[in-house]
Amino acid sequence: MNREALRDRLREYYLLTRLDRPIGILLLLWPTLWALWLAAEGWPDLHVLAVFVAGVVLMRSAGCVINDYADRDFDRHVQRTRDRPITAGRVSPREALVLFAVLCLLAFALVLTLNRLTILMSFGGVLLAAVYPFTKRYTHLPQVVLGAAFGWAIPMAFAAQTGTVPKLAWLLFTVNVLWSTAYDTMYAMVDREDDLKIGVKSTAILFGEADRLVIGILQGLVLLGLVLAGRMAGLGGLYYLGLLAAAALALYQQYLIRNRDRQGCFQAFLNNNWFGAAVFAGIFLDYLNRLGA
C-alpha cells in the first residue's frame, strides 16, 4: 500500500471512529470526571486519570465502529448517516470488526495497569458497548442501554481510585443513565421520521407527542439525583452554583426542541456538553475552594 492509499485508509478509520465529531467523547468524559473527582475527594491519582481519559477516547471510538457495523444496512436509508464509511462501501464490515477489536484491546491494555476490581468490571463495559447497537432492533429503549454503557465508567472510576464501589457511585451511574436517555432522545428526534420508515426503535418514537414532557421529567430527575449526590459527598455552595447553571441549560434545551425540528433537536443534544461541563465545574471548584480554605 502506497503512502497516499494509506493516508486515505486512515482517514476513513478516522471518520468511522468519529474523531472528527468529539461530542460523544465529551458526553462520556464529563461523568467520568465527576466520578474521579468525587471518588478522590479532589484531584484523582494522575495515572488513574490518564488511563480513564485515554480509555474514554478508545471506547467511544470502538462504540462508533460497532454501531456503524450493526447499522450498516439501516444507515443508507437515513439522511444523516447514508455517507458513513461502512454503508458507503469505503470500509468493509470485516475491517470494522478488526478495528473494533483493536480499539477494545488497547483499552483493556490500559485497564490492566489498574487494580483487580477495575479489571473485572471492564468486561461489563465491553459487553454493554457491544450489545447497545443491536438493541434498537428489539426495544424502544436503546437510549437506556446507551446510558448504561456510557455510565459504566463511573463505578469503574470509583473502583480504580478507591478499590470499592460505594452507594454514591451507583447513584451517579443512575443519574447518568437518566441524563443519557434525555439527551439521546433529543438526538433520536432528529432521525424519528427516517427511523419510523425503516423500523428502527427509539425512545423518541416510544414517547411520541409526550417527548418534550418526558425529557423534562428526566432532566428534573437528573438534577435531583445530582443534588442528592452533592449532599452525600458533602459538597458546598460552588457545586450547587454549577447545578444552577446546568438547570438553566436544561431549560434552554427545552426551548431548542420546542418545535421538534431537526436542527433544534440536534443543537439541544450538542448543548448537553455544556450541561456536563457545568456539573464538573461545580465539583472541581468546590474541592479547589477547600484546598484554599
Side-chain angles (χ1 to χ4, degrees):
M1 183 181 293
N2 61 41
R3 183 177 298 179
E4 184 175 347
L6 177 61
R7 185 172 63 248
D8 290 342
R9 178 61 33 205
L10 291 175
R11 172 172 169 74
E12 293 302 332
Y13 292 163
Y14 174 74
L15 295 174
L16 180 58
T17 54
R18 304 262 224 292
L19 290 172
D20 60 320
R21 298 180 181 181
I23 180 63
I25 293 174
L26 293 168
L27 290 174
L28 180 53
L29 181 63
W30 290 125
T32 303
L33 295 179
W34 304 348
L36 286 170
W37 253 257
L38 288 171
E41 298 183 356
W43 274 96
D45 178 88
L46 289 180
H47 173 72
V48 172
L49 176 61
V51 166
F52 272 85
V53 171
V56 161
V57 176
L58 288 169
M59 287 308 299
R60 187 265 183 168
S61 299
C64 290
V65 173
I66 198 64
N67 181 78
D68 286 10
Y69 171 82
D71 288 353
R72 63 193 185 279
D73 294 326
F74 292 134
D75 282 348
R76 65 174 57 96
H77 303 291
V78 178
Q79 177 181 336
R80 182 178 55 82
T81 60
R82 63 183 55 162
D83 195 46
R84 285 177 173 175
I86 300 177
T87 196
R90 300 191 304 272
V91 174
S92 72
R94 181 180 178 183
E95 278 182 281
L97 287 177
V98 171
L99 181 57
F100 172 72
V102 169
L103 291 168
C104 288
L105 287 172
L106 288 173
F108 186 61
L110 291 174
V111 172
L112 287 175
T113 67
L114 303 175
N115 60 39
R116 184 172 181 271
L117 178 58
T118 311
I119 294 169
L120 292 174
M121 293 188 71
S122 70
F123 291 102
V126 173
L127 179 63
L128 286 167
V131 166
Y132 157 69
F134 299 95
T135 56
K136 63 191 75 174
R137 292 164 171 77
Y138 307 107
T139 175
H140 282 93
L141 300 173
Q143 283 69 30
V144 177
V145 182
L146 176 70
F150 268 29
W152 197 249
I154 292 171
M156 283 184 63
F158 274 86
Q161 183 66 42
T162 69
T164 62
V165 185
K167 291 180 181 178
L168 177 58
W170 295 116
L171 174 58
L172 286 175
F173 173 79
T174 303
V175 164
N176 190 75
V177 171
L178 295 170
W179 181 41
S180 300
T181 302
Y183 68 63
D184 205 49
T185 299
M186 298 173 191
Y187 193 50
M189 288 167 70
V190 177
D191 296 332
R192 179 157 46 193
E193 298 306 316
D194 292 324
D195 288 346
L196 282 167
K197 292 176 184 176
I198 61 179
V200 170
K201 297 177 172 63
S202 73
T203 48
I205 294 171
L206 176 65
F207 299 154
E209 291 298 314
D211 48 9
R212 291 181 58 204
L213 173 62
V214 176
I215 290 171
I217 292 170
L218 290 170
Q219 289 172 320
L221 290 173
V222 168
L223 290 165
L224 175 60
L226 288 170
V227 168
L228 293 175
R231 293 181 58 134
M232 193 177 293
L235 298 177
L238 289 173
Y239 171 71
Y240 294 104
L241 282 176
L243 292 192
L244 186 62
L249 289 165
L251 290 173
Y252 177 59
Q253 291 160 20
Q254 283 288 328
Y255 172 77
L256 289 172
I257 65 174
R258 68 194 185 283
N259 296 321
R260 299 183 175 88
D261 60 284
R262 289 178 185 257
Q263 185 62 25
C265 293
F266 187 63
Q267 288 302 314
F269 163 72
L270 294 176
N271 187 260
N272 278 275
N273 168 49
W274 297 109
F275 182 102
V279 176
F280 176 67
I283 296 170
F284 180 84
L285 292 173
D286 194 84
Y287 282 120
L288 187 65
N289 183 59
R290 294 186 193 190
L291 290 175

